[in-house]
């Protein structure tokens, strides 16, 4: 594969498309696609290669997988990660379209793929044919091909993913990504002009093992949802018997129970989206959360983090100033969603699409906040506070509140105790105006409770 020594310097510098230093964006790189049929200058020298288009390579999403055959990971054991590689092709003008796109991933030495998705021979819902190479190898390749004469690839929201085994001697999943395309353009007489193009250099990526999202359970099935199929939903069942024995083989003590402020978010109508939009939503979710934490001075690395498929659990570091952090986080989430949806609206407008008719949809979320005793267990965060947090987040009244609040991107639900502590005492940025009290009863889970719900508005709307 091609190599460019300057690519490493800028691929992981922490500056994203929003230009905020210290906030890692979801974009790994934005290389051009240069034509292979370059013109040799009259005076000699290397061919001049036309720019055909461009590609936005998403920062890979990594999920640390649990092996059910191993009771607990050990320092000398290999580890498995699901790694998702999203990318968006640039829209082409003048009737041109992409006929084929090939994503190539070269994993670093010692890494290899245990499974690939989409799998070889897959035909996507839109008719795209996908061929795959690299099972058990370091070099992975997915080729997406439009089916039928006159067909073109949808340029946005493409993705590929692999379960990658990392040896015990390694501390990161790394490698390089490149892309090549074939474009077609109608010419006189009904003929088609085809041109091959490629990225001029490979873009490096690096994911430290400690930065991967932790799955809440083992990999249970291999479906078609990008990334999210590795993530078990939040469960209330007792641990598997062998896991109980494993803990009893330790010293019999519970992990420390600390009072923590917890934030959970969930994307509205996630399962109704197509696969491409699911990739985009996961990237928006992660970027928005990280930017909100950066805005209010919360150290992302010191927070407990657990992906929930179409949502996220954030367990904030102990002893945060809740009177400052809670309004700051909500303001950051509100601003981040507004910015993401403005970009989406602009992209749809430029492409002549409506959000409800073939264009990308807006991102709307529910957020739930609660505080209480939390234990960091073997595969996630446990405690009645976490259970109550998700009961409120997933409840019918909170879902309906968002559905009926069409002029907002975010609704926030406070537990009754948190509301009384923060809002009821009149701290700055936490006015009681706009909050509604809702009664929550989930008979199947033997849960009853009270929450205070509010549609969030940006500062410019007040």
């Amino acid at each position: 594969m091609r190599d460019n020594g300057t690519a490493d310097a800028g691929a992981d510098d922490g500056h994203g498309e929003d230009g905020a230093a210290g906030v890692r964006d979801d974009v790994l790189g934005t290389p051009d696609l240069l034509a292979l049929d370059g013109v040799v200058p009259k005076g000699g020298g290397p061919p001049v290669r036309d720019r055909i288009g461009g590609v936005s390579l998403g920062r890979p999403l990594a999920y640390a997988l649990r092996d059910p055959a191993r009771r607990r990971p050990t320092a000398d054991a290999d580890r498995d990660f699901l790694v998702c590689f999203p990318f968006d092709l640039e829209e082409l003008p003048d009737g041109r379209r992409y006929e084929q796109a090939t994503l190539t991933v070269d994993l670093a030495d010692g890494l290899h793929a245990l499974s690939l998705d989409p799998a070889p021979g897959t035909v996507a819902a839109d008719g795209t044919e996908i061929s795959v190479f690299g099972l058990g190898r370091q070099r992975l390749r997915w080729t997406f091909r439009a089916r039928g004469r006159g067909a073109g690839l949808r340029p946005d929201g493409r993705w590929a993913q692999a379960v990658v085994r990392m040896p015990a001697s390694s501390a990161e999943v790394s490698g390089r990504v490149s892309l090549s395309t074939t474009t077609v353009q109608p010419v006189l007489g009904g003929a088609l002009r085809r041109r091959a193009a490629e990225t001029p250099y490979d873009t490096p990526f690096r994911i430290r093992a400690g930065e991967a999202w932790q799955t809440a359970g083992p990999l249970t099935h291999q479906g078609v949802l990008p990334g999210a199929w590795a993530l078990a939903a939040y469960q209330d069942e007792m641990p598997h018997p062998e896991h109980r024995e494993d803990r009893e083989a330790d010293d019999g003590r519970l992990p420390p129970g600390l009072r923590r402020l917890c934030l959970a978010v969930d994307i509205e109508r996630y399962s109704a989206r197509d696969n491409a939009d699911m990739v985009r939503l996961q990237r928006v979710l992660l970027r928005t959360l990280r930017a909100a934490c950066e805005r209010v001075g919360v150290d992302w690395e010191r927070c407990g983090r657990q992906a929930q498929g179409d949502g996220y659990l954030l367990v904030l570091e102990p002893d945060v100033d809740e009177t400052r952090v809670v309004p700051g986080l909500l303001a950051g989430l509100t601003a981040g969603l507004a910015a993401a949806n403005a970009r989406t609206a602009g992209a749809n407008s430029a492409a002549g699409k409506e959000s409800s008719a073939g264009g990308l949809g807006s991102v709307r979320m529910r957020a739930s906040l609660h505080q209480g005793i939390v234990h960091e267990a073997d595969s996630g965060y446990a405690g009645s506070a976490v259970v109550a947090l998700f009961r409120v987040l997933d409840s019918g009244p909170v879902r309906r509140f968002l559905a009926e609040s069409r002029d907002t991107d975010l609704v926030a639900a406070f537990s009754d105790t948190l509301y009384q502590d923060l809002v009821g005492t009149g701290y700055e940025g936490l006015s009681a105006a706009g909050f509604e009290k809702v009664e929550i009863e989930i008979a199947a889970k033997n849960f009853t409770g009270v929450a205070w719900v509010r549609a969030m508005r940006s500062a410019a709307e007040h």
Side-chain angles (χ1 to χ4, degrees):
M1 294 180 71
R2 300 163 307 285
D3 197 338
N4 183 328
T6 63
D8 278 294
D12 202 19
D13 62 1
H15 294 262
E17 64 187 30
D18 295 329
V23 180
R24 295 178 188 166
D25 197 71
D26 62 341
V27 177
L28 180 69
T30 54
D32 293 331
L33 289 166
L34 302 183
L36 297 183
D37 55 351
V39 177
V40 178
K42 290 183 179 180
V48 177
R49 304 172 67 186
D50 295 340
R51 183 183 187 278
I52 299 297
V55 60
S56 176
L57 298 170
R59 193 174 297 279
L61 306 171
Y63 307 82
L65 303 182
R66 291 179 57 228
D67 184 349
R70 298 172 182 153
R71 292 186 178 181
R72 89 173 46 247
T74 60
D76 60 349
D78 296 343
R79 286 176 286 177
D80 297 341
F81 297 84
L82 175 70
V83 187
C84 182
F85 301 94
F87 65 95
D88 299 319
L89 297 169
E90 184 180 293
E91 292 275 0
L92 296 176
D94 306 325
R96 290 186 291 144
R97 60 183 180 274
Y98 295 99
E99 184 179 65
Q100 179 175 302
T102 297
L103 177 73
T104 301
V105 177
D106 265 349
L107 298 172
D109 290 344
L111 306 176
H112 65 277
L114 301 180
S115 67
L116 303 171
D117 191 35
T122 298
V123 177
D126 63 358
T128 300
E129 297 176 332
I130 306 170
S131 58
V132 183
F133 169 84
L135 186 62
R137 305 192 181 199
Q138 283 181 253
R139 172 170 284 194
L140 319 177
R141 186 169 64 238
W142 291 265
T143 297
F144 304 82
R145 186 177 296 106
R147 196 174 186 180
R149 180 177 175 83
L153 293 177
R154 172 178 171 174
D156 54 280
R158 293 285 168 189
W159 59 273
Q161 62 189 14
V163 173
V164 175
R165 175 148 292 175
M166 185 185 77
S169 57
S170 298
E172 62 184 29
V173 176
S174 60
R176 293 173 176 270
V177 183
S178 64
L179 197 96
S180 62
T181 62
T182 301
T183 59
V184 295
Q185 182 177 15
V187 295
L188 293 177
L192 296 175
R193 183 191 182 194
R194 287 180 171 83
R195 302 189 72 186
E198 65 179 4
T199 52
Y201 55 82
D202 301 343
T203 302
F205 69 90
R206 182 175 68 252
I207 309 164
R208 296 177 181 86
E211 295 176 349
W213 291 11
Q214 298 297 313
T215 58
L219 185 64
T220 55
H221 68 283
Q222 187 164 341
V224 295
L225 302 184
W229 53 261
L231 304 174
Y234 184 81
Q235 299 289 337
D236 290 333
E237 286 82 0
M238 293 295 291
H240 191 278
E242 72 172 13
H243 295 161
R244 290 200 299 270
E245 294 167 4
D246 195 32
R247 280 196 297 273
E248 291 165 1
D250 294 334
D251 55 14
R253 293 183 297 178
L254 283 173
L258 302 176
R259 185 165 295 277
R260 309 284 287 271
L261 174 65
C262 302
L263 166 69
V265 295
D266 188 89
I267 300 171
E268 182 187 48
R269 295 179 55 79
Y270 179 84
S271 60
R273 315 295 183 107
D274 62 22
N275 291 352
D277 216 18
M278 288 182 181
V279 170
R280 183 181 67 89
L281 293 181
Q282 286 196 33
R283 292 155 68 184
V284 170
L285 170 64
L286 186 59
R287 178 175 60 191
T288 303
L289 270 174
R290 294 190 74 135
C293 287
E294 176 75 11
R295 172 177 175 151
V296 77
V298 168
D299 188 341
W300 177 264
E301 301 300 333
R302 293 190 63 194
C303 293
R305 309 185 303 276
Q306 184 170 305
Q308 300 293 138
D310 55 353
Y312 208 84
L313 168 64
L314 195 65
V315 181
L316 278 76
E317 56 189 302
D319 302 322
V320 297
D321 180 357
E322 296 179 7
T323 65
R324 181 184 60 85
V325 165
V326 169
L329 281 176
L330 292 177
L333 288 174
T334 304
L337 290 176
N341 288 330
R343 288 192 294 268
T344 296
N348 285 334
S349 177
K353 299 176 181 178
E354 295 290 340
S355 295
S356 59
L360 300 175
S362 61
V363 187
R364 306 177 74 232
M365 292 183 189
R366 306 184 312 279
S368 177
L369 295 109
H370 187 33
Q371 48 92 2
I373 300 296
V374 177
H375 298 273
E376 186 172 356
D378 291 346
S379 61
Y381 291 88
S384 58
V386 178
V387 173
L389 181 79
F390 280 95
R391 291 285 182 261
V392 171
L393 182 71
D394 296 331
S395 68
V398 177
R399 287 178 178 272
R400 286 192 294 273
F401 199 96
L402 178 60
E404 294 168 0
S405 303
R406 302 310 304 175
D407 59 343
T408 187
D409 301 322
L410 176 72
V411 299
F414 285 55
S415 68
D416 187 51
T417 54
L418 190 65
Y419 176 87
Q420 300 302 336
D421 284 347
L422 295 181
V423 182
T425 48
Y427 286 107
E428 182 179 355
L430 289 168
S431 168
F435 276 98
E436 293 187 21
K437 182 179 179 180
V438 296
E439 303 283 345
I440 298 172
E441 181 174 358
I442 308 173
K445 301 292 185 179
N446 194 29
F447 178 85
T448 58
V450 170
W452 296 83
V453 191
R454 176 184 171 185
M456 302 305 301
R457 306 275 189 261
S458 65
E461 295 178 280
H462 289 295

